Amino acid sequence: MKKTPELLAPAGNLLSAITAFENGADAVYAGLKKFNARERTENFSDEEFIKLINFAKKRNKKVYVVLNTLLKESELRTVVKQLSFLHNLSPDAIIVQDIGLVYIIRKFFPDLTIHASTQMGIHNSAGVVMAKKMGISRVILERQVTFKELNEITKKSPLALEVFIHGALCSSLSGVCLFSSWINGMSGNRGKCMQLCRRKFTALQKDGFFFSTKDLCLIDKIPEFVKMGISSLKIEGRLRKPDHIAKVVSAYRLAIDSPTKIEDAKQILRGTINRQLSEGFTGSKAIDSVILSDKRGISSTFCGKILSEKKGKSIEISAMRRIHIGDKVRAQNLDDESSATFTVTEIIKNGRKVNKVQDGDKCIISTIETIPYNSALYKTGESYKNYAGLIENIPSKPICSLKLKININAFGIKIKFLNISESLVWIKKETFQEAKKHALDSTTVVNEFSITSSDLFRVSEIKVAVSGNLFVPASILKKLRREFWEWTQKQAELNDIFSPEATAEARFEAFYQKTKNTFLCNEKTTYFLNKEAKTLEKEEIICHNILDFDFTANEVILPFFCPEIKLASLKKDIENAYNCGVRKFRVTSLYAVELLKNFSDIEIYSSFPLPVCNSMAVCGLRKLGYDKVQLWVELEACELRNLVSKSQLPTEIYHFGRLPILVTRAKISKNGEIHDSRDARYEIFHDPITELTYLYPEESFASPNIPNTQKFIDLTKTTPDEKKISTFNTAGTWG
């Protein structure tokens, strides 16, 4: 019998988290103020996060921390401090995108569990295997994996898998979107996405929302997820309010626990505010229809016609669905698209104040301002049971999770702490007699010492060694337990026992100070060309796409997206390239190194869009067998120089080329040139070989010269004499 999957809910703040737990979530994922992919939401202060951990642990729930953005070299010390804070709280896992952060956690915080964010772009079984080799415990798969592919991946996966089941979708493959960053430096890989894919674009005088996706709803697929053995079912929505979370979580809780009641669960979902719902990227039909190109993707529901304006700040409406006191609504002017948003505070029906009206009822609603007659009413949020009162009673002091090692022999007891200072030891001399009947066993010791009688501590692990056949009266064991925890409490008051003598921060700093670049870069340049391209006079190294190469290439570049069903074919392409003499392979996604593991005399280089943003990422890739790294294209020039000075591998920059700023499996209704309202121009290109659609900006990217780096020039979508050039973020700030 398959294990019931975990129901994982979003938490943009403490109230949302408690709402999720109270409505049936097994776990929540939440972020602190920095380094998470939803920095536009409220997120948690340190004190609020302590409360969240305390609330969850008391109810046997789980908390996963999202640190799922790319990190600059200058931010490494800051993120290590944040990890130190989190380490003391013992969250159930850290959700990570940056390869360098994975390396830092495994080396300096080995007790922390790592989940690979969907932003890591893992989308096949080879990628899951690589995640395991990196020390990752769970993979959150790419959202554009189909059901057929997912079924195959689960059969081969050595790790627990997590998938998204509900919420907003990105049109781009995860971790490769540069759209927001390209336009205004606000990177989706840094949690600052401006959702430019929701904009209206023009193609051949026709407007459309060509990249705006419908929302995801897979409640009908719950039985299939259970059958596959998916470990965690994830709801998107850290920007969502508690009213939305309450209904969505309760609906999926019902569907998971009672598969025969899925229709009842769907009825609950009908009361939520969403864009038009879809099955995302689960199959070819879904992929073809996931884009809603003819409508603006706004999360609201039409709920009433405005019949007349009343004197003062009120309107008469004909309700088209349930409206309740506390609902949030938007009055949309149909003439000029202006709007007013307010909370419903008073409803009058037939001259009497009521709490709610239903479809077909006529009523008067108080507003915050005068609403024009030619307007429609949309619901943007609903009233819900408010759990704010529970927050007041949550302790705000951190509860330290302790791991103990208890040794008992005939002469007394000795207790050491396994996860804090090794010098902190409690010893108590006692004389224990040999047992005639009831000898002390380890289970009894564990049960007794798990009782802390303190709000500061909880015990996560106890290792017990009892030497000999000893009789220890229950009263003596209780006395020893009380004395130990009283002593521990005093130590906590007198000393910071939660900070070991050699802290992780100090160990990181010592390591970081020694990390230096010892490589002298040669001056060779790699030219990435199409197979049919004419030979350039100044080329030094030629690189071809492995799906389109000939024997003239010195290097081949592997695709960054390879569906599960195409892995076998790609392996054959690699063997063919190897047999043709190729010994240099460019890896654009983590999965590819697993396909190269049987070739001992090759060199592996990282290439766009595999992100290398800091020296710890270089350390991580070096450990995996990489020989050279290409630095991330979003980095500013100063950060590039900082990284080069610390890199433990030879470095290369993407010096020139036309970057894809969005890549998707979705069917885009247009091909060729489009432009937006600001007359910024782009090209949509569908590649029949990879079956992916790419969005290219009009300009080519040119980075400055960075000392001690090699150059990578990509001429597959541009020419050396291109006049329209962008320096992207290199001359500014990468937000």
PDB file of all heavy atoms in Angstrom, residues 458-481:
ATOM      1  N   ARG A 458      14.029  21.123  23.133  1.00  0.00           N
ATOM      2  CA  ARG A 458      13.332  19.888  22.805  1.00  0.00           C
ATOM      3  C   ARG A 458      14.400  18.892  22.361  1.00  0.00           C
ATOM      4  O   ARG A 458      15.467  19.281  21.867  1.00  0.00           O
ATOM      5  CB  ARG A 458      12.281  20.087  21.719  1.00  0.00           C
ATOM      6  CG  ARG A 458      12.829  20.320  20.321  1.00  0.00           C
ATOM      7  CD  ARG A 458      11.703  20.464  19.312  1.00  0.00           C
ATOM      8  NE  ARG A 458      12.219  20.602  17.964  1.00  0.00           N
ATOM      9  CZ  ARG A 458      12.482  19.576  17.154  1.00  0.00           C
ATOM     10  NH1 ARG A 458      12.253  18.324  17.559  1.00  0.00           N
ATOM     11  NH2 ARG A 458      12.967  19.790  15.947  1.00  0.00           N
ATOM     12  N   VAL A 459      14.124  17.615  22.539  1.00  0.00           N
ATOM     13  CA  VAL A 459      15.104  16.584  22.218  1.00  0.00           C
ATOM     14  C   VAL A 459      14.733  15.940  20.888  1.00  0.00           C
ATOM     15  O   VAL A 459      13.632  15.415  20.726  1.00  0.00           O
ATOM     16  CB  VAL A 459      15.163  15.514  23.323  1.00  0.00           C
ATOM     17  CG1 VAL A 459      16.187  14.439  22.965  1.00  0.00           C
ATOM     18  CG2 VAL A 459      15.516  16.158  24.649  1.00  0.00           C
ATOM     19  N   SER A 460      15.638  16.014  19.930  1.00  0.00           N
ATOM     20  CA  SER A 460      15.373  15.409  18.625  1.00  0.00           C
ATOM     21  C   SER A 460      16.011  14.028  18.487  1.00  0.00           C
ATOM     22  O   SER A 460      15.582  13.226  17.663  1.00  0.00           O
ATOM     23  CB  SER A 460      15.899  16.323  17.511  1.00  0.00           C
ATOM     24  OG  SER A 460      17.295  16.529  17.638  1.00  0.00           O
ATOM     25  N   GLU A 461      17.034  13.764  19.314  1.00  0.00           N
ATOM     26  CA  GLU A 461      17.712  12.456  19.202  1.00  0.00           C
ATOM     27  C   GLU A 461      18.449  12.160  20.509  1.00  0.00           C
ATOM     28  O   GLU A 461      19.069  13.045  21.098  1.00  0.00           O
ATOM     29  CB  GLU A 461      18.702  12.480  18.030  1.00  0.00           C
ATOM     30  CG  GLU A 461      19.466  11.187  17.832  1.00  0.00           C
ATOM     31  CD  GLU A 461      20.492  11.274  16.708  1.00  0.00           C
ATOM     32  OE1 GLU A 461      20.313  12.132  15.799  1.00  0.00           O
ATOM     33  OE2 GLU A 461      21.475  10.506  16.742  1.00  0.00           O
ATOM     34  N   ILE A 462      18.344  10.921  20.971  1.00  0.00           N
ATOM     35  CA  ILE A 462      19.107  10.482  22.149  1.00  0.00           C
ATOM     36  C   ILE A 462      19.744   9.127  21.835  1.00  0.00           C
ATOM     37  O   ILE A 462      19.066   8.176  21.452  1.00  0.00           O
ATOM     38  CB  ILE A 462      18.213  10.334  23.400  1.00  0.00           C
ATOM     39  CG1 ILE A 462      17.570  11.671  23.781  1.00  0.00           C
ATOM     40  CG2 ILE A 462      19.027   9.803  24.586  1.00  0.00           C
ATOM     41  CD1 ILE A 462      16.661  11.596  25.002  1.00  0.00           C
ATOM     42  N   LYS A 463      21.058   9.086  21.973  1.00  0.00           N
ATOM     43  CA  LYS A 463      21.781   7.824  21.860  1.00  0.00           C
ATOM     44  C   LYS A 463      22.161   7.362  23.259  1.00  0.00           C
ATOM     45  O   LYS A 463      22.701   8.153  24.048  1.00  0.00           O
ATOM     46  CB  LYS A 463      23.033   7.985  20.993  1.00  0.00           C
ATOM     47  CG  LYS A 463      22.735   8.340  19.545  1.00  0.00           C
ATOM     48  CD  LYS A 463      24.022   8.482  18.732  1.00  0.00           C
ATOM     49  CE  LYS A 463      23.711   8.818  17.285  1.00  0.00           C
ATOM     50  NZ  LYS A 463      24.961   8.966  16.475  1.00  0.00           N
ATOM     51  N   VAL A 464      21.880   6.104  23.588  1.00  0.00           N
ATOM     52  CA  VAL A 464      22.086   5.596  24.948  1.00  0.00           C
ATOM     53  C   VAL A 464      22.998   4.377  24.929  1.00  0.00           C
ATOM     54  O   VAL A 464      22.841   3.482  24.095  1.00  0.00           O
ATOM     55  CB  VAL A 464      20.735   5.228  25.607  1.00  0.00           C
ATOM     56  CG1 VAL A 464      20.965   4.636  26.993  1.00  0.00           C
ATOM     57  CG2 VAL A 464      19.836   6.457  25.693  1.00  0.00           C
ATOM     58  N   ALA A 465      23.950   4.373  25.841  1.00  0.00           N
ATOM     59  CA  ALA A 465      24.805   3.196  26.045  1.00  0.00           C
ATOM     60  C   ALA A 465      24.789   2.856  27.538  1.00  0.00           C
ATOM     61  O   ALA A 465      25.229   3.650  28.370  1.00  0.00           O
ATOM     62  CB  ALA A 465      26.228   3.474  25.565  1.00  0.00           C
ATOM     63  N   VAL A 466      24.258   1.681  27.884  1.00  0.00           N
ATOM     64  CA  VAL A 466      24.219   1.212  29.275  1.00  0.00           C
ATOM     65  C   VAL A 466      25.236   0.080  29.414  1.00  0.00           C
ATOM     66  O   VAL A 466      25.143  -0.946  28.738  1.00  0.00           O
ATOM     67  CB  VAL A 466      22.815   0.711  29.661  1.00  0.00           C
ATOM     68  CG1 VAL A 466      22.816   0.204  31.099  1.00  0.00           C
ATOM     69  CG2 VAL A 466      21.782   1.824  29.480  1.00  0.00           C
ATOM     70  N   SER A 467      26.242   0.315  30.271  1.00  0.00           N
ATOM     71  CA  SER A 467      27.301  -0.691  30.475  1.00  0.00           C
ATOM     72  C   SER A 467      26.933  -1.595  31.646  1.00  0.00           C
ATOM     73  O   SER A 467      26.862  -1.145  32.794  1.00  0.00           O
ATOM     74  CB  SER A 467      28.649  -0.003  30.760  1.00  0.00           C
ATOM     75  OG  SER A 467      29.005   0.836  29.688  1.00  0.00           O
ATOM     76  N   GLY A 468      26.687  -2.844  31.345  1.00  0.00           N
ATOM     77  CA  GLY A 468      26.374  -3.791  32.409  1.00  0.00           C
ATOM     78  C   GLY A 468      24.879  -3.973  32.608  1.00  0.00           C
ATOM     79  O   GLY A 468      24.046  -3.305  31.993  1.00  0.00           O
ATOM     80  N   ASN A 469      24.582  -4.894  33.517  1.00  0.00           N
ATOM     81  CA  ASN A 469      23.199  -5.238  33.849  1.00  0.00           C
ATOM     82  C   ASN A 469      22.827  -4.473  35.114  1.00  0.00           C
ATOM     83  O   ASN A 469      22.970  -4.970  36.222  1.00  0.00           O
ATOM     84  CB  ASN A 469      23.109  -6.756  34.056  1.00  0.00           C
ATOM     85  CG  ASN A 469      21.688  -7.250  34.049  1.00  0.00           C
ATOM     86  OD1 ASN A 469      20.852  -6.739  33.328  1.00  0.00           O
ATOM     87  ND2 ASN A 469      21.414  -8.249  34.866  1.00  0.00           N
ATOM     88  N   LEU A 470      22.331  -3.214  34.950  1.00  0.00           N
ATOM     89  CA  LEU A 470      22.199  -2.299  36.081  1.00  0.00           C
ATOM     90  C   LEU A 470      20.744  -2.136  36.520  1.00  0.00           C
ATOM     91  O   LEU A 470      19.824  -2.116  35.704  1.00  0.00           O
ATOM     92  CB  LEU A 470      22.754  -0.919  35.714  1.00  0.00           C
ATOM     93  CG  LEU A 470      24.213  -0.867  35.224  1.00  0.00           C
ATOM     94  CD1 LEU A 470      24.574   0.560  34.848  1.00  0.00           C
ATOM     95  CD2 LEU A 470      25.158  -1.416  36.284  1.00  0.00           C
ATOM     96  N   PHE A 471      20.609  -1.955  37.826  1.00  0.00           N
ATOM     97  CA  PHE A 471      19.299  -1.618  38.378  1.00  0.00           C
ATOM     98  C   PHE A 471      19.320  -0.142  38.779  1.00  0.00           C
ATOM     99  O   PHE A 471      20.115   0.272  39.622  1.00  0.00           O
ATOM    100  CB  PHE A 471      18.969  -2.477  39.606  1.00  0.00           C
ATOM    101  CG  PHE A 471      17.701  -2.047  40.293  1.00  0.00           C
ATOM    102  CD1 PHE A 471      16.469  -2.220  39.683  1.00  0.00           C
ATOM    103  CD2 PHE A 471      17.749  -1.441  41.552  1.00  0.00           C
ATOM    104  CE1 PHE A 471      15.300  -1.805  40.313  1.00  0.00           C
ATOM    105  CE2 PHE A 471      16.592  -1.024  42.187  1.00  0.00           C
ATOM    106  CZ  PHE A 471      15.358  -1.210  41.562  1.00  0.00           C
ATOM    107  N   VAL A 472      18.444   0.656  38.140  1.00  0.00           N
ATOM    108  CA  VAL A 472      18.331   2.081  38.452  1.00  0.00           C
ATOM    109  C   VAL A 472      16.866   2.352  38.792  1.00  0.00           C
ATOM    110  O   VAL A 472      16.005   2.311  37.910  1.00  0.00           O
ATOM    111  CB  VAL A 472      18.769   2.965  37.271  1.00  0.00           C
ATOM    112  CG1 VAL A 472      18.629   4.441  37.635  1.00  0.00           C
ATOM    113  CG2 VAL A 472      20.202   2.656  36.853  1.00  0.00           C
ATOM    114  N   PRO A 473      16.568   2.623  40.037  1.00  0.00           N
ATOM    115  CA  PRO A 473      15.187   2.897  40.427  1.00  0.00           C
ATOM    116  C   PRO A 473      14.603   4.059  39.629  1.00  0.00           C
ATOM    117  O   PRO A 473      15.305   5.024  39.290  1.00  0.00           O
ATOM    118  CB  PRO A 473      15.296   3.247  41.909  1.00  0.00           C
ATOM    119  CG  PRO A 473      16.563   2.606  42.353  1.00  0.00           C
ATOM    120  CD  PRO A 473      17.493   2.679  41.186  1.00  0.00           C
ATOM    121  N   ALA A 474      13.320   3.988  39.327  1.00  0.00           N
ATOM    122  CA  ALA A 474      12.651   5.033  38.553  1.00  0.00           C
ATOM    123  C   ALA A 474      12.783   6.390  39.218  1.00  0.00           C
ATOM    124  O   ALA A 474      12.959   7.417  38.554  1.00  0.00           O
ATOM    125  CB  ALA A 474      11.179   4.676  38.357  1.00  0.00           C
ATOM    126  N   SER A 475      12.718   6.426  40.543  1.00  0.00           N
ATOM    127  CA  SER A 475      12.826   7.699  41.260  1.00  0.00           C
ATOM    128  C   SER A 475      14.199   8.326  41.073  1.00  0.00           C
ATOM    129  O   SER A 475      14.329   9.552  40.952  1.00  0.00           O
ATOM    130  CB  SER A 475      12.542   7.481  42.750  1.00  0.00           C
ATOM    131  OG  SER A 475      13.465   6.546  43.301  1.00  0.00           O
ATOM    132  N   ILE A 476      15.246   7.492  41.049  1.00  0.00           N
ATOM    133  CA  ILE A 476      16.611   7.996  40.841  1.00  0.00           C
ATOM    134  C   ILE A 476      16.771   8.518  39.420  1.00  0.00           C
ATOM    135  O   ILE A 476      17.381   9.580  39.190  1.00  0.00           O
ATOM    136  CB  ILE A 476      17.644   6.890  41.139  1.00  0.00           C
ATOM    137  CG1 ILE A 476      17.554   6.434  42.594  1.00  0.00           C
ATOM    138  CG2 ILE A 476      19.047   7.379  40.806  1.00  0.00           C
ATOM    139  CD1 ILE A 476      17.859   7.538  43.596  1.00  0.00           C
ATOM    140  N   LEU A 477      16.214   7.803  38.459  1.00  0.00           N
ATOM    141  CA  LEU A 477      16.320   8.227  37.067  1.00  0.00           C
ATOM    142  C   LEU A 477      15.614   9.571  36.848  1.00  0.00           C
ATOM    143  O   LEU A 477      16.129  10.455  36.157  1.00  0.00           O
ATOM    144  CB  LEU A 477      15.718   7.155  36.148  1.00  0.00           C
ATOM    145  CG  LEU A 477      16.121   7.229  34.662  1.00  0.00           C
ATOM    146  CD1 LEU A 477      17.628   7.054  34.502  1.00  0.00           C
ATOM    147  CD2 LEU A 477      15.382   6.171  33.847  1.00  0.00           C
ATOM    148  N   LYS A 478      14.453   9.727  37.464  1.00  0.00           N
ATOM    149  CA  LYS A 478      13.731  10.998  37.372  1.00  0.00           C
ATOM    150  C   LYS A 478      14.539  12.125  38.008  1.00  0.00           C
ATOM    151  O   LYS A 478      14.602  13.250  37.490  1.00  0.00           O
ATOM    152  CB  LYS A 478      12.366  10.883  38.051  1.00  0.00           C
ATOM    153  CG  LYS A 478      11.353  10.013  37.327  1.00  0.00           C
ATOM    154  CD  LYS A 478      10.031   9.979  38.066  1.00  0.00           C
ATOM    155  CE  LYS A 478       9.049   9.015  37.426  1.00  0.00           C
ATOM    156  NZ  LYS A 478       8.689   9.410  36.043  1.00  0.00           N
ATOM    157  N   LYS A 479      15.156  11.846  39.175  1.00  0.00           N
ATOM    158  CA  LYS A 479      15.966  12.848  39.855  1.00  0.00           C
ATOM    159  C   LYS A 479      17.142  13.280  38.983  1.00  0.00           C
ATOM    160  O   LYS A 479      17.448  14.469  38.850  1.00  0.00           O
ATOM    161  CB  LYS A 479      16.481  12.292  41.183  1.00  0.00           C
ATOM    162  CG  LYS A 479      17.371  13.278  41.967  1.00  0.00           C
ATOM    163  CD  LYS A 479      17.807  12.685  43.289  1.00  0.00           C
ATOM    164  CE  LYS A 479      18.904  11.654  43.113  1.00  0.00           C
ATOM    165  NZ  LYS A 479      20.210  12.283  42.745  1.00  0.00           N
ATOM    166  N   LEU A 480      17.804  12.302  38.359  1.00  0.00           N
ATOM    167  CA  LEU A 480      18.926  12.606  37.474  1.00  0.00           C
ATOM    168  C   LEU A 480      18.473  13.446  36.277  1.00  0.00           C
ATOM    169  O   LEU A 480      19.155  14.387  35.863  1.00  0.00           O
ATOM    170  CB  LEU A 480      19.581  11.309  36.994  1.00  0.00           C
ATOM    171  CG  LEU A 480      20.314  10.492  38.062  1.00  0.00           C
ATOM    172  CD1 LEU A 480      20.717   9.134  37.510  1.00  0.00           C
ATOM    173  CD2 LEU A 480      21.546  11.254  38.559  1.00  0.00           C
ATOM    174  N   ARG A 481      17.323  13.090  35.737  1.00  0.00           N
ATOM    175  CA  ARG A 481      16.785  13.848  34.603  1.00  0.00           C
ATOM    176  C   ARG A 481      16.516  15.296  34.992  1.00  0.00           C
ATOM    177  O   ARG A 481      16.887  16.219  34.277  1.00  0.00           O
ATOM    178  CB  ARG A 481      15.510  13.175  34.097  1.00  0.00           C
ATOM    179  CG  ARG A 481      14.918  13.843  32.851  1.00  0.00           C
ATOM    180  CD  ARG A 481      13.694  14.679  33.200  1.00  0.00           C
ATOM    181  NE  ARG A 481      12.656  13.872  33.785  1.00  0.00           N
ATOM    182  CZ  ARG A 481      11.591  14.359  34.393  1.00  0.00           C
ATOM    183  NH1 ARG A 481      11.456  15.666  34.536  1.00  0.00           N
ATOM    184  NH2 ARG A 481      10.663  13.568  34.930  1.00  0.00           N
TER     185      ARG A 481
END
